[in-house]
Amino acid sequence: MGATGRGGTPRVIAIVPAYNEQECLARTIGELVSTCPDIDYLVVNDGSSDDTPKICDELRLNHIDLPVNCGLSAAFGAGMRYALEHGYDAAVQFDSDGQHVPSYIPSMVQAMAERDADIVIASRVVAGGSAVGLRGFGAKLITLLIRLTTGQVIGDPTSGMRLYSRSMIERFSRSFDLSPEPDTIAYLIRRGAKVVEVPTVMRDRQGGTSYLRLSSSLSYMARTCLSLLLFQWFR
């Protein structure tokens, strides 16, 4: 996992991209801090047009502001560069909408250490659940394509709760074409990254605006599948 903090405990930061999350940001960060007091966090305000910036300022949340809405990949990349600059050993991608349960983060950190993993995915499938609807169908298709292209089964490839090691922080920070998406996970597996899953339960979105709507969900699935089959081989 790399260098560690005092007492051999890894320094972990939660990267929390936020786009128009005024309805649940304060509650999400409050639960994260109270549940995992040893884990730092960074809210990346992705050019929100609602009161998200105001909430960050009024509550004095640790945050950075992107000047315009740049999208999840850019927001996550900004968080990874922050993690690298501040010497963190691991970074967990954590949604601002209340879907992710912070009490699972310690088990992810433990799995990374014990299994010498580069990426740990919080998996609903390992826990006996799954994504539903269009997302569920797409996730099964992506699982199949990842297996065909890497030989590894990733049961919950669309899970947005992932823990990245120090080496992955460095890689994401210094590469312009890596994103927190399933095709990047497949690409990294083919480049030697060890990816494991741990069981996790997730909640429904607690409010706010999703990065993915119906039309963008369809294009996202099509783009991801095409990348898995074709584009990523030329990276």
Side-chain angles (χ1 to χ4, degrees):
M1 185 181 287
T4 55
R6 295 180 180 179
T9 302
R11 296 183 64 231
V12 181
I13 186 170
I15 298 173
V16 189
Y19 174 61
N20 290 350
E21 295 289 5
Q22 65 179 20
E23 296 179 24
C24 44
L25 179 60
R27 183 168 62 250
T28 296
I29 298 301
E31 182 185 17
L32 174 63
V33 170
S34 63
T35 304
C36 302
D38 295 329
I39 293 175
D40 296 334
Y41 71 87
L42 174 72
V43 176
V44 183
N45 169 37
D46 186 19
S48 298
S49 58
D50 66 356
D51 283 340
T52 296
K54 181 180 178 181
I55 291 170
C56 289
D57 290 336
E58 290 183 348
L59 297 182
R60 297 184 178 180
L61 303 182
N62 184 39
H63 73 285
I64 58 176
D65 296 300
L66 302 187
V68 296
N69 177 227
C70 298
L72 177 60
S73 293
F76 180 72
M80 290 294 252
R81 287 188 291 276
Y82 179 97
L84 179 64
E85 292 168 2
H86 290 79
Y88 285 95
D89 305 309
V92 60
Q93 179 185 349
F94 196 82
D95 283 357
S96 54
D97 59 14
Q99 290 190 75
H100 296 164
V101 182
S103 58
Y104 288 101
I105 296 177
S107 65
M108 298 173 72
V109 175
Q110 182 179 2
M112 176 167 283
E114 293 180 349
R115 300 166 69 178
D116 194 27
D118 296 297
I119 301 172
V120 178
I121 299 174
S123 174
R124 291 158 290 193
V125 173
V126 174
S130 65
V132 297
L134 177 63
R135 187 184 181 102
F137 171 79
K140 291 178 181 178
L141 177 59
I142 292 171
T143 291
L144 174 61
L145 294 178
I146 291 176
R147 181 179 180 182
L148 290 174
T149 56
T150 70
Q152 182 170 342
V153 176
I154 301 295
D156 198 354
T158 62
S159 169
M161 188 175 178
R162 306 185 185 102
L163 180 71
Y164 297 86
S165 68
R166 172 72 183 189
S167 64
M168 291 294 103
I169 292 174
E170 294 173 352
R171 191 156 192 170
F172 271 81
S173 299
R174 294 167 178 165
S175 301
F176 70 91
D177 62 345
L178 295 184
S179 62
E181 303 293 356
D183 55 334
T184 293
I185 299 299
Y187 170 81
L188 292 171
I189 290 172
R190 290 182 18 247
R191 292 298 184 275
K194 184 176 182 179
V195 180
V196 303
E197 294 181 275
V198 296
T200 309
V201 174
M202 293 187 186
R203 300 178 290 226
D204 292 333
R205 162 178 277 276
Q206 303 298 295
T209 302
S210 174
Y211 276 98
L212 292 178
R213 301 173 182 84
L214 178 59
S215 59
S216 58
S217 293
L218 291 172
S219 62
Y220 164 81
M221 292 299 179
R223 185 172 62 251
T224 299
C225 291
L226 194 60
S227 176
L228 285 166
L229 289 171
L230 295 175
F231 297 151
Q232 68 167 313
W233 298 93
F234 301 99
R235 295 166 75 176

